[in-house]
Amino acid sequence: MKKAIAALAALVLLSPVVAVVGIGMVANPFVLFQGTCDTADMNVGPVPDELEAETKNGERVTLNKTQLERAASIISGGSEIDGVDENAVTIALMAALTESTLRQLANSSTYPESADYPNDGEGADHDSLGLFQMRPQSGWGSVEELMDVDYQVDAFFGGEDGPNHPSPRGLLDIPGWEDMDRGEAAQSVEVSAHPDRYTNWEPVAAKVLDTLTENARDGGGGGGERDPEVPETGQLVFPLPEGTYTRTSGFGPRTDPITGESRLHGGVDYAAPDGTPILALADGVVVTAHMSGGSSGTIIIEHTIDGESVATMYVHMWEHGIHVQPGDRVQAGDHIGDVGSSGHSTGPHLHLQVHPGGAQAEPIDPEPWLEDHDLESSEAPESPQPPGGCR
């Protein structure tokens, strides 16, 4: 892996204007809540002999059983680390697919002893080793450590309990990683000379994760069954009550108000008082409801709108402001959460994203989409009791 300083142009779920900072700090002293509303485990089921998938660039790839077993190690290892969710695991899979095509590589030309450890073949990129092509000279670990798959997985995710904390930084050590585009998040850990490569593998990573965990659901590994169909929605409503919000930031490139870096903002921000009810935009099924990365409250709902699969994402709730859980069926206008300022945020607001094609698809500019679909205005719910099971 060729390491170099890379430009981090990430997709972020950022805050509105700095003017609301005072409101957020008074109403909510910044507390990192522990735990999650998402009780589903990333259980790995029987690993298939092979899996065919397609990269974003349209290249067909076939992963063999050994490669899928390495992917299973990433999923299982990540599921045991506090703060790692399916988003983080997808990023890790993208990185390993890019760097080694999910192979634990020795590098005997630089470290002859690396060939003495179990491996899936030889690599020859500088002094890089293993699944994530980590370099001993960069401080990732010794040859012995890096030739251990479990060690590499722990090192990639990092965090306070990671083997390299605080440097080199693992994913959990990257401020705002959960709000970045996945390819840029992978690059922020790998610091590659070729930062644009990771996004190409995103659909493959998503299919690997879905296949291995779906096998667990189908094969008795736990985690519950996936809803086979999301019915067509009956109506569409704006996700904040009328008169409670101010649009503060739109979709597109902008200067991150926290880091000062130029980044792509992947949604639209609506500043609103802390605790303002967030409403489901359409009928659907909740697929994510948790503190992403342990710090940013996130709800994702899958819908069927005009016959098309569409996911909506709502971000920055406090943990106690998440009122649904995965598997809940909601109707348009249901009270699913409350406005907060968790994660990469300067004040209370709702960050809304729209993903035509489903949660794994790229987000689009929500505002033209909202205008095209003629949403009804909404009022604050009469009862503060939300429809979900996570209070």
Side-chain angles (χ1 to χ4, degrees):
M1 169 172 43
K2 299 177 181 177
K3 304 294 183 179
I5 298 175
L8 298 178
L11 169 67
V12 292
L13 316 176
L14 290 169
S15 66
V17 292
V18 177
V20 296
V21 173
I23 299 173
M25 295 304 292
V26 171
N28 286 288
F30 193 81
V31 177
L32 290 180
F33 295 98
Q34 301 300 315
T36 173
C37 281
D38 189 353
T39 57
D41 294 324
M42 288 179 283
N43 297 310
V44 176
V47 176
D49 291 335
E50 65 177 33
L51 176 67
E52 292 186 356
E54 186 172 307
T55 68
K56 185 167 290 188
N57 291 344
E59 178 187 1
R60 298 290 302 179
V61 296
T62 301
L63 302 175
N64 62 32
K65 190 176 184 69
T66 298
Q67 290 168 300
L68 294 173
E69 287 173 343
R70 300 306 189 197
S73 295
I74 293 172
I75 298 168
S76 297
S79 70
E80 297 175 358
I81 299 174
D82 192 27
V84 170
D85 56 10
E86 289 191 3
N87 183 41
V89 169
T90 303
I91 293 166
L93 291 170
M94 290 165 60
L97 282 160
T98 303
E99 296 293 342
S100 68
T101 57
L102 285 170
R103 294 176 297 153
Q104 177 70 352
L105 297 177
N107 189 341
S108 58
S109 62
T110 304
Y111 295 109
E113 67 273 28
S114 66
D116 297 332
Y117 296 94
N119 66 80
D120 306 324
E122 284 281 342
D125 188 358
H126 295 272
D127 63 322
S128 302
L129 295 166
L131 278 175
F132 297 102
Q133 290 289 273
M134 293 173 169
R135 301 177 65 180
Q137 293 179 16
S138 296
W140 282 106
S142 66
V143 173
E144 180 180 4
E145 288 170 332
L146 294 178
M147 290 307 298
D148 183 292
V149 170
D150 293 337
Y151 178 92
Q152 286 235 348
V153 171
D154 289 344
F156 181 88
F157 288 117
E160 292 186 2
D161 297 326
N164 302 99
H165 187 75
S167 179
R169 297 187 304 176
L171 183 65
L172 298 180
D173 303 311
I174 308 296
W177 71 266
E178 63 271 25
D179 299 333
M180 293 180 179
D181 170 80
R182 287 169 173 162
E184 296 301 332
Q187 161 66 4
S188 68
V189 178
E190 296 290 341
V191 195
S192 169
H194 305 283
D196 299 327
R197 300 177 301 160
Y198 302 101
T199 298
N200 184 46
W201 288 94
E202 184 168 0
V204 180
K207 184 169 184 178
V208 168
L209 177 59
D210 184 70
T211 298
L212 294 184
T213 54
E214 182 70 29
N215 280 350
R217 288 187 287 270
D218 292 343
E225 293 185 1
R226 175 168 297 176
D227 192 353
E229 183 179 357
V230 179
E232 178 77 30
T233 188
Q235 66 177 137
L236 298 171
V237 303
F238 194 79
L240 291 170
E242 187 173 10
T244 64
Y245 61 89
T246 301
R247 178 199 180 277
T248 54
S249 186
F251 181 93
R254 73 172 187 179
T255 299
D256 185 326
I258 295 177
T259 68
E261 297 174 347
S262 177
R263 290 181 171 175
L264 179 67
H265 188 227
V268 60
D269 289 339
Y270 300 99
D274 195 280
T276 299
I278 298 172
L279 313 175
L281 185 146
D283 302 353
V285 176
V286 177
V287 295
T288 294
H290 64 182
M291 299 301 288
S292 178
S295 65
S296 187
T298 302
I299 295 172
I300 300 175
I301 304 176
E302 292 273 9
H303 317 277
T304 301
I305 300 174
D306 296 334
E308 179 184 21
S309 175
V310 177
T312 53
M313 179 186 294
Y314 314 77
V315 187
H316 296 306
M317 289 79 69
W318 304 106
E319 185 178 33
H320 63 264
I322 298 174
H323 301 317
V324 291
Q325 59 187 5
D328 283 349
R329 286 184 170 272
V330 298
Q331 294 182 325
D334 277 352
H335 181 186
I336 59 173
D338 301 322
V339 168
S341 185
S342 64
H344 202 67
S345 171
T346 61
H349 71 289
L350 168 66
H351 174 96
L352 175 69
Q353 288 190 193
V354 174
H355 298 248
Q360 297 294 344
E362 295 289 338
I364 61 167
D365 186 344
E367 292 179 289
W369 188 93
L370 295 175
E371 292 177 3
D372 289 344
H373 285 81
D374 192 26
L375 274 67
E376 299 177 18
S377 60
S378 53
E379 298 180 358
E382 294 182 5
S383 170
Q385 193 66 256
C390 196
R391 304 291 192 262

